[in-house]
Amino acid sequence: MLVRDCMVRSVATIEADVALGGAAAAMARHGVRHLPVVHRGRVVGLVSDRELLAARPSPATSLTIGEIRARLNQIPVAEVMVRDPTWVVPATPLAEAARLMRDHALEALPVLRDGQLVGLLTEATALGVLATLLEGEPGSAS
Amino acid sequence: MYGRILVALDGSPPGERIVPWVRLLARGSGSVVRLLTVCRPVREPIMARGRAVAYVDQLEDRARGHALAYLQGLAARLQEDGIPAAVEVRFGDPVETILTVARDSAVDLIAMGTRGTRGLGRVLSPSVTRAILTRAPLPVLVARLRGQRAA
Amino acid sequence: MQVKTLMKTSLVTIDPTATLAQARELMAAEGVRELPVVRDARLVGMLTDRDMRAAAASTLPPLARYEHPPLLDRMAVAEVMTQDIVTAGPDTPVREAACLLSGLGGSSLPVVDDGLFLGLVSTRELLGVLAGVLDHRRPAGFSHILIPIDGSPAGADALAAGVALARQHGSEMTMLHVLVPFGRYAVAELVPAALLTELVAARKAGACRLLRKEMPPLEGLRIGLEAVEDDPVQGIVRVAARIDAQLIVMARRSRARSLVEAVVRAAPCPVLLVDSGKEPPDARA
């Protein structure tokens, strides 16, 4: 099984200059926690809800909600994203992609073909594949 | 087909990305693998205030220790996958050492990565890869390491 | 396989009364992103990296200056941890654990027995299981091998090596011939447009004839033939990407060394360089 057999193909992405508020909205809109960040058609980073949570102030901030929103809207996603993320190609064996995610604690892997984003492989997807593969295994019925 | 494979590693995580491909090749071909790191020879002791605080042999031992631990971790994972793997650490010129070990261990294939021209001057520089490609009297498996993760 | 065989048991846990500062230090020291919150050997919650980030001060200077890190750091773990957590029992099948984590989006599933904390099953262990199951199911091997052919004897050696590998690994094979784009030739300007298409087609047909001549006996191999017009290096690289090749096999020849090097640098997959028996390796470094 290769990455291309189970990657998500229509991937929501975000432009590097979009503000953090926009990134959060995009994640909510698409129901995802990871967004590849693109600039001039190329993947330049990966942003997840972890980076957004780190950027958001704590509940104890002395800023008002309005002030928080205003400031978050001035900060582009490029400032908090993980730069130059690890990526794989569609032909990467899924086993190797799984090892890569495991060994480097990666939650999502952009899939590039010829430098273009063609998919995204997430931990959730990989675990779903595992659940399917283990079906029908002796003793797997709960 | 390639019963004995020599994998030249430089100890860096990108350098490790050749290993999954070696695993793929080795499992399909029933190969045994030898993992090799070539460390730069230590030329001088570390001096502080005019006195040597670490000598060449101590520094080399330390470097060998780190490199061995790293390679053994990789070897263990290969062995878990049913691939016999041995490790070796040497000091010297990378190209000469790799070719010598390849000859002495009678390997059928050398596997290594190559990085772009931006680098830290580590052992697996493009010039090392180029030299191995030209001089090794046996097949070479090369994987581009920058940006090509686990292929 | 059940969760009890996979879970990690000798784990660092944290007390609900510990401070966030202590929690942060512990996570950093252990290199983990989640801490089971345990009191009297019972699991009372999970403190995740995301919980910490949500509660912690902003990492961005324009926002951070309105925070009070000392106050935040003294908050107790109990105020921030997630209490309503899904757990597994020691006999829960691994399949179910994988399902749960896939749907919940967390990275660890605590394992409890009657409320007593036993251990954690994390995505890390499950990804390892996935890799093992996949390796086991299908004999590992390159799925698709690309072999550029130029009609030379050295190319034939690469083909022989590629075919041997393809047989051994059960791989699909593509033989590729890259033509210099006809438009590059000065004489192309003299050719009427109507004839140009025919000419290009004729060249490709000729290339396919060449490939068919070089083709090995099939004997169960799946072989595709491709003839493209392109730059010599990009032609190989682009086809490799398009067909999702996992390996390119080429002959290493001193004359074409720059081509080989360029392909290695640009290829989306590893390149196997084989000896050509016809030309000895260059002794110069």
Side-chain angles (χ1 to χ4, degrees), chain B residues 62-107:
Chain B
R62 196 184 309 167
R64 178 180 288 111
H66 283 317
L68 265 179
Y70 169 73
L71 291 182
Q72 272 155 359
L74 291 178
R77 298 213 300 255
L78 285 170
Q79 273 147 2
E80 270 166 29
D81 294 330
I83 301 168
V87 304
E88 190 161 349
V89 177
R90 294 248 185 139
F91 286 84
D93 171 73
V95 175
E96 299 303 328
T97 313
I98 292 170
L99 292 175
T100 304
V101 174
R103 189 188 56 230
D104 293 346
S105 316
V107 299

Side-chain angles (χ1 to χ4, degrees), chain A residues 54-125:
Chain A
R56 286 188 62 83
S58 77
T61 182
S62 50
L63 290 169
T64 66
I65 304 236
E67 284 167 338
I68 296 173
R69 196 174 295 137
R71 279 163 209 268
L72 287 178
N73 280 337
Q74 284 163 357
I75 299 167
V77 113
E79 251 184 69
V80 303
M81 70 186 183
V82 172
R83 290 177 180 274
D84 202 17
T86 304
W87 49 269
V88 292
V89 295
T92 301
L94 183 61
E96 294 311 335
R99 287 187 174 101
L100 198 57
M101 287 195 280
R102 176 195 65 183
D103 295 341
H104 299 272
L106 302 169
E107 295 179 342
L109 286 173
V111 187
L112 304 189
R113 177 187 278 137
D114 232 356
Q116 296 305 303
L117 183 72
V118 293
L120 188 71
L121 180 69
T122 60
E123 262 184 353
T125 309

Side-chain angles (χ1 to χ4, degrees), chain C residues 252-275:
Chain C
R252 184 185 48 187
R253 296 174 287 164
S254 41
R255 265 181 303 127
R257 199 186 315 149
S258 59
L259 168 74
V260 162
E261 275 180 29
V263 170
V264 167
R265 262 201 302 279
C269 62
V271 182
L272 176 65
L273 297 160
V274 300
D275 278 326

